[in-house]
Amino acid sequence: MMFINPERSKFEGVVKAYSAELYRYAYWLCRDRFTAEDVVQETFARAWQRWSGLRDDRAAKGWLYAILRNEHARLHERKQLAIDPDQELDTLMDNSGANAFDAFEMRDMLAALPETYREALTLQVIGGFSCAEMATMIGITEGAVMTRLTRARQAIRRLIDPKPLIKAKES
């Protein structure tokens, strides 16, 4: 006779429900498929270790996003950059492939946003979080989240069509 652990079953359901959208968010943060997969895997590993501490099942989504965000931050804490102090700055090449004329124009615009604006916008668009949920996850006020979202949208509008701003300044 096989016993089914109800907590494990509940956790597996959460993994199935949120793994795809957590991966999308991780990919936006990392911009690398393999790193995003690793971050999501670490997120679920940490979530499982602390699963008994989750008091409200309805908070699982926000809790997982917060863990993922922290895992991404840990990734950068451990990252060692190979820097050659003798290399001339003019010889460095940008290998990011970001080009305004590519088919990835929106991705480039998002990349051009300051991290704080990009984070709020991707949490709302990809994660579907409310301003209150994002405020709790990021650790700022709800008003600050709304400000960041507004400024992110304005910046993208300026990148898409800078002409209206130029005309307004000439008047």
Side-chain angles (χ1 to χ4, degrees), residues 25 28-29 31 107-124 148-149 152:
Y25 181 58
W28 276 107
L29 289 173
R31 291 178 182 64
R107 184 173 136 187
D108 293 344
M109 284 187 257
L110 285 171
L113 292 175
E115 176 65 30
T116 55
Y117 298 169
R118 183 173 56 242
E119 179 180 36
L121 194 59
T122 55
L123 280 172
Q124 185 181 56
R148 288 179 182 187
L149 288 170

Side-chain angles (χ1 to χ4, degrees), residues 26-45:
Y27 185 81
W28 276 107
L29 289 173
C30 303
R31 291 178 182 64
D32 178 70
R33 185 179 114 194
F34 301 110
T35 306
E37 289 171 356
D38 289 344
V39 170
V40 171
Q41 185 175 4
E42 284 298 317
T43 297
F44 284 126

Side-chain angles (χ1 to χ4, degrees), residues 65-84:
Y65 270 81
I67 293 171
L68 188 138
R69 192 169 172 267
N70 291 337
E71 285 302 312
H72 179 255
R74 267 190 210 93
L75 178 74
H76 289 290
E77 287 173 1
R78 296 185 297 247
K79 192 174 187 177
Q80 297 291 321
L81 298 176
I83 300 173
D84 180 6

Side-chain angles (χ1 to χ4, degrees), residues 6-70:
E7 289 301 310
R8 181 177 174 175
S9 296
K10 195 183 300 184
F11 182 75
E12 287 174 356
V14 168
V15 170
K16 288 177 185 173
Y18 297 119
S19 61
E21 67 182 81
L22 284 172
Y23 171 77
R24 284 192 300 272
Y25 181 58
Y27 185 81
W28 276 107
L29 289 173
C30 303
R31 291 178 182 64
D32 178 70
R33 185 179 114 194
F34 301 110
T35 306
E37 289 171 356
D38 289 344
V39 170
V40 171
Q41 185 175 4
E42 284 298 317
T43 297
F44 284 126
R46 286 200 186 267
W48 176 245
Q49 290 171 351
R50 293 171 180 77
W51 183 248
S52 61
L54 181 64
R55 289 179 233 138
D56 184 3
D57 292 346
R58 293 172 293 176
K61 182 178 178 181
W63 182 64
L64 288 169
Y65 270 81
I67 293 171
L68 188 138
R69 192 169 172 267
N70 291 337

